[in-house]
Amino acid sequence: MWPAISVYPDMSKLPLIAVSLLLSASLYAATEPNWEQLEGCTLGDTKYADGDSFHVKCKDRELIIRLYFVETPEHSGDQRFPDRIAEQAKYFGISSPEVLKVGDAADSFTMKTLGAEPFTVFTCGQDAMGASKQQRLYGIVETKQGNLAELLVKNGLARIYGNHVTMPDGMDGQQYEEKLGKLEQEAKQKKVGGWAKGQ
């Protein structure tokens, strides 16, 4: 004879199950960024700016923003990190002096793009640290020409690198990285920016 099987759950385990579900939900919520959208931003002090990190003015606030997903090469005016420069040169398949020129071009591109007209910044307040004593936040920048990270990759002026996050429109970070990867392949085929001599 088969033993009787109860179709009712063990009531003593329900509190534990409920707590587990609540913890799972709160952990999931913690991984979803809480985006702040800042409209009408303009480029701030350019003295310490470069292609992927810059000061912005958003109404009564001044922020230092570091782009998610990409890194532009070091520029010729800042050669404090030779190992990083060598790594960037290897990524593009060019020499260190050549990658510094790409960094200069990336700086000019960003300053020109952000200086042309107001843009939108999305940030969820994640600390990007940096050499400055001022707080630097990771962010996404949308210009009239398009997403700045995408524009840099499309023009061969940045490598896909660094922190990524779920996008403000809900696109998964991995999917967005794949999108950038396609733009990078196109840049390689067209031999633009850092890909002009490499690969």
Side-chain angles (χ1 to χ4, degrees):
M1 184 173 177
W2 295 102
I5 299 174
S6 173
V7 294
Y8 299 102
D10 183 346
M11 298 305 284
S12 65
K13 293 182 180 177
L14 280 180
L16 185 60
I17 293 169
V19 169
S20 178
L21 288 171
L22 285 171
L23 282 173
S24 297
S26 63
L27 285 172
Y28 176 77
T31 63
E32 288 297 302
N34 183 20
W35 289 107
E36 180 181 9
Q37 182 174 340
L38 304 170
E39 300 277 1
C41 299
T42 56
L43 188 62
D45 182 8
T46 60
K47 185 177 180 181
Y48 300 106
D50 61 25
D52 59 33
S53 182
F54 34 81
H55 291 246
V56 299
K57 296 179 181 178
C58 301
K59 295 182 180 177
D60 57 344
R61 296 172 63 184
E62 290 195 25
L63 306 168
I64 303 176
I65 295 295
R66 167 68 171 88
L67 293 177
Y68 275 111
F69 294 98
V70 298
E71 177 189 72
T72 58
E74 303 303 303
H75 54 82
S76 57
D78 185 3
Q79 299 183 39
R80 294 171 295 164
F81 310 106
D83 290 346
R84 187 186 302 171
I85 292 169
E87 185 182 303
Q88 293 165 344
K90 184 178 178 181
Y91 185 91
F92 286 100
I94 55 181
S95 68
S96 292
E98 287 170 334
V99 87
L100 290 171
K101 291 179 183 178
V102 176
D104 291 341
D107 292 359
S108 297
F109 182 89
T110 294
M111 297 308 107
K112 183 178 179 181
T113 302
L114 299 186
E117 50 193 333
F119 50 89
T120 301
V121 170
F122 293 89
T123 182
C124 48
Q126 184 180 359
D127 190 356
M129 295 177 283
S132 171
K133 291 181 180 179
Q134 292 179 268
Q135 186 180 32
R136 187 171 71 153
L137 303 176
Y138 277 109
I140 291 167
V141 174
E142 292 288 345
T143 74
K144 291 285 178 65
Q145 298 176 45
N147 178 290
L148 182 58
E150 293 175 26
L151 292 171
L152 287 164
V153 171
K154 186 178 180 179
N155 286 279
L157 300 175
R159 62 174 175 161
I160 302 167
Y161 181 87
N163 279 24
H164 67 261
V165 67
T166 300
M167 295 293 284
D169 64 2
M171 180 183 282
D172 177 74
Q174 187 63 41
Q175 288 179 307
Y176 188 71
E177 206 166 86
E178 290 169 6
K179 179 181 179 180
L180 290 176
K182 291 177 182 176
L183 292 175
E184 183 176 86
Q185 287 302 316
E186 292 173 11
K188 287 180 181 180
Q189 291 170 1
K190 293 178 180 176
K191 294 190 177 296
V192 295
W195 307 113
K197 296 181 179 179
Q199 302 298 313

